[in-house]
Amino acid sequence: MSGCCEDECCGSAIRGDDGRFARLLWIALVVNAGMFVVEAGAGFAAGSLSLQADSLDFLGDAGNYAVSLMVVASAPAVRAKAALLKGATMGLFGLWIVAATIWRAFNAVPPDPLTMSWVGLLALIANLGVAALLWAYRGGDANMRSVWLCSRNDAIGNLVVLVAAAGVFGTQTAWPDLIVAAIMASLALQAATMIVRHALLELQDEAREQKPA
């Protein structure tokens, strides 16, 4: 889910002596950013809030990979500001999902279960592919373990979306989609809050260190 790696990723640093890991992170970044666009767009087109909520996982992970790639070359304040932007973006999108879920509960129109199914399956394949690429690093340092665990756990979230699609198809109602969307949006908001709080603390620490004695 969206918050699967925040406790482990925040403040972590990749090892600069492993160029292959950095290249794999670039691949993971491109895959996750691309799937965020695909899943969010398909979610809007199909009227599926669970797809839109699940796309937050890809947005969050893309941000984590980007911040990890910045660790070696960038100052702590730059990394904190990047994390702050990511957290704010996730939080705004999460709030939109919550508001849309509440509105849809009173104006329930079943989403397209076929679109939910094929997009959810595509997302599952993407996350499993990234997890496979990072498999060799699952026993590395904290950052290496966490990025692999993120992809593995996100694949579980994709399975939940597939379950929601089956529920929509079976019941011909929007409730399975809405329930999954509400759960995933709440997790995204929790993760966004953690990211923003951590980034603000880092910026405060950096400001104190830069302040003349």
Side-chain angles (χ1 to χ4, degrees):
M1 299 296 188
S2 295
C4 68
C5 64
E6 299 308 332
D7 289 333
E8 296 173 287
C9 290
C10 290
S12 62
I14 65 171
R15 291 208 314 253
D17 60 351
D18 195 335
R20 182 173 181 272
F21 183 64
R23 289 192 294 272
L24 292 179
L25 278 183
W26 273 112
I27 295 173
L29 171 60
V30 171
V31 170
N32 278 268
M35 281 304 305
F36 164 69
V37 174
V38 170
E39 196 169 30
F44 280 108
S48 171
L49 291 176
S50 64
L51 278 182
Q52 295 172 41
D54 191 48
S55 70
L56 287 173
D57 284 333
F58 287 110
L59 177 63
D61 286 350
N64 283 327
Y65 299 144
V67 171
S68 292
L69 286 165
M70 292 167 57
V71 166
V72 175
S74 300
V78 175
R79 300 197 302 270
K81 290 176 181 177
L84 184 62
L85 176 62
K86 183 192 73 172
T89 302
M90 288 180 62
L92 289 174
F93 198 12
L95 287 173
W96 187 91
I97 295 294
V98 170
T101 300
I102 294 173
W103 182 87
R104 192 73 63 82
F106 296 97
N107 303 272
V109 177
D112 180 10
L114 181 60
T115 300
M116 290 178 64
S117 297
W118 75 259
V119 175
L121 181 60
L122 180 62
L124 176 62
I125 293 172
N127 274 317
L128 289 177
V130 172
L133 287 175
L134 299 172
W135 172 264
Y137 295 92
R138 68 193 186 284
D141 59 25
N143 184 66
M144 292 177 177
R145 290 194 302 273
S146 65
V147 294
W148 180 78
L149 286 171
C150 282
S151 295
R152 186 200 66 179
N153 291 350
D154 286 349
I156 298 174
N158 301 143
L159 291 174
V160 174
V161 171
L162 292 175
V163 171
V168 170
F169 180 79
T171 64
Q172 294 298 304
T173 68
W175 287 109
D177 182 62
L178 297 180
I179 292 171
V180 170
I183 294 173
M184 299 182 76
S186 66
L187 291 174
L189 287 173
Q190 182 184 28
T193 300
M194 292 169 60
I195 294 170
V196 169
R197 184 184 298 119
H198 188 93
L200 290 175
L201 288 175
E202 287 188 346
L203 288 173
Q204 290 173 4
D205 291 341
E206 184 69 13
R208 280 195 294 267
E209 291 179 2
Q210 295 296 327
K211 187 176 180 180

